[in-house]
Each structure stands twice: as C-alpha cells, then as structure tokens.
C-alpha cells in the first residue's frame, strides 16, 4: 500500500512547563469529545509547547475557546500514514530534498501491525511546493487514525 499524504492543520498552546499541564488540556479535549490525529509536546524556554492536530478543526477551536486557551492560529503540517517498510522515511524526505525544500521538523513512529505515521513541517512559503513533491493534489480531510508521535522540537512558525 502506498503512503497517504494529507495536508492538515495544527495549532499550538504554550503552557507553564510543569507536571500535569498536558494532562489538563488533553482532559478538556476529551470532555469536549475532540479527537486528535496527532499530539506533541516539548519545552520552549521556560514553557511547554503543545501541538494539536485535530480531526475536526472547528470542534477543536470551539473547545479551546471555551477553555480560554491562548491558541495559535491554525498552521499546516503534512500527516503521512502507510505500511511500514525499510527506507520509507528516506523516500519521503528524499522527495523534499529533490525539490530543494528544507524540512524544519519531523516526527515518525511505527504504529504496530506493520504501519507507520509521520508528521513533516516545512516553512509556510514552501507548503505548496512540498505538497506537489509529496503527491498531495488538494488539501484532504484527514482519515480517522490514532497517531501520537514522540515529542521533538517543532517550530512555532
């Protein structure tokens, strides 16, 4: 099976870097019935940044507004899912290298049962060119999938 590459939205919140902040925000989303396709958290200075890739952006923003989160504007990220195989990451990032595009952050994880997921961030001005290089013809509505990559430094911009 070929990889599915989708251009999806994410938003982030910066919170105090202390135990329980991520759990508190995730519990608020759970209470609101918001499903996430991906979630990532990492330190930024003396704060923590939590990135959310919601299945339903409208429901996510409504829940964040209700909880009075200082939510960033929505931004774009590539959500890639498919069958795990040797070199799949090299093939994907190679497409961007061949298009002379810089990746500003990425996360990948195996999901078990021979599956993998990946998030790729490029500069906002490079999104269209990256979408073409990765084979995305139009923004797609994300398929329902659980994907929780390990936290790594993800750019705020």
């Amino acid at each position: 099976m070929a990889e599915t590459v989708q251009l999806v939205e994410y938003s982030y919140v910066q919170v105090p870097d202390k135990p329980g902040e991520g759990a508190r925000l995730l519990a608020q989303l759970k209470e609101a019935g918001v499903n996430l396709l991906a979630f990532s958290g990492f330190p930024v200075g003396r704060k923590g940044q939590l990135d959310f890739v919601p299945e339903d952006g409208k429901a996510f923003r409504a829940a964040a507004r209700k909880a009075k989160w200082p939510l960033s504007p929505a931004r774009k990220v590539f959500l890639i899912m498919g069958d795990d195989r040797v070199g799949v990451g090299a093939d994907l990032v190679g497409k961007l290298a061949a298009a002379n595009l810089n990746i500003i952050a990425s996360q990948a994880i195996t999901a078990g049962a021979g599956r993998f997921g990946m998030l790729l961030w490029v500069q906002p001005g490079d999104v269209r060119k990256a979408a073409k290089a990765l084979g995305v013809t139009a923004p797609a509505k994300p398929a329902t999938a659980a994907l929780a990559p390990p936290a790594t430094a993800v750019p705020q911009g």
Side-chain angles (χ1 to χ4, degrees):
M1 175 186 158
E3 295 79 41
T4 301
V5 182
Q6 300 171 326
L7 183 59
V8 296
E9 290 187 346
Y10 81 98
S11 295
Y12 69 85
V13 176
Q14 289 194 350
V15 296
D17 190 6
K18 63 181 188 180
E21 286 299 299
R24 180 177 64 82
L25 272 65
L26 288 169
Q28 290 171 335
L29 292 176
K30 178 182 176 183
E31 179 70 24
V34 173
N35 188 45
L36 296 176
L37 300 175
F39 167 73
S40 177
F42 54 91
V44 175
R46 293 182 175 260
K47 293 190 174 218
Q49 181 170 314
L50 305 177
D51 289 0
F52 300 93
V53 180
E55 181 177 47
D56 179 341
K58 186 176 178 181
F60 170 76
R61 286 186 299 280
R65 224 177 0 262
K66 181 179 177 186
K68 299 183 179 164
W69 293 1
L71 192 63
S72 75
R75 297 160 192 256
K76 301 291 186 185
V77 64
F78 292 96
L79 171 65
I80 306 166
M81 295 181 279
D83 293 332
D84 191 19
R85 60 181 167 74
V86 173
V88 68
D91 292 346
L92 290 163
V93 300
K95 290 178 181 182
L96 296 177
N100 199 32
L101 293 167
N102 192 36
I103 297 169
I104 56 175
S106 67
Q107 299 177 351
I109 189 168
T110 61
R115 304 278 297 156
F116 85 100
M118 186 175 206
L119 293 172
L120 284 173
W121 285 263
V122 298
Q123 292 293 344
D126 290 338
V127 168
R128 284 182 193 226
K129 190 174 177 184
K132 183 177 179 183
L134 292 169
V136 176
T137 55
K141 183 173 182 177
T144 301
L147 174 65
T152 60
V154 177
Q156 299 174 23

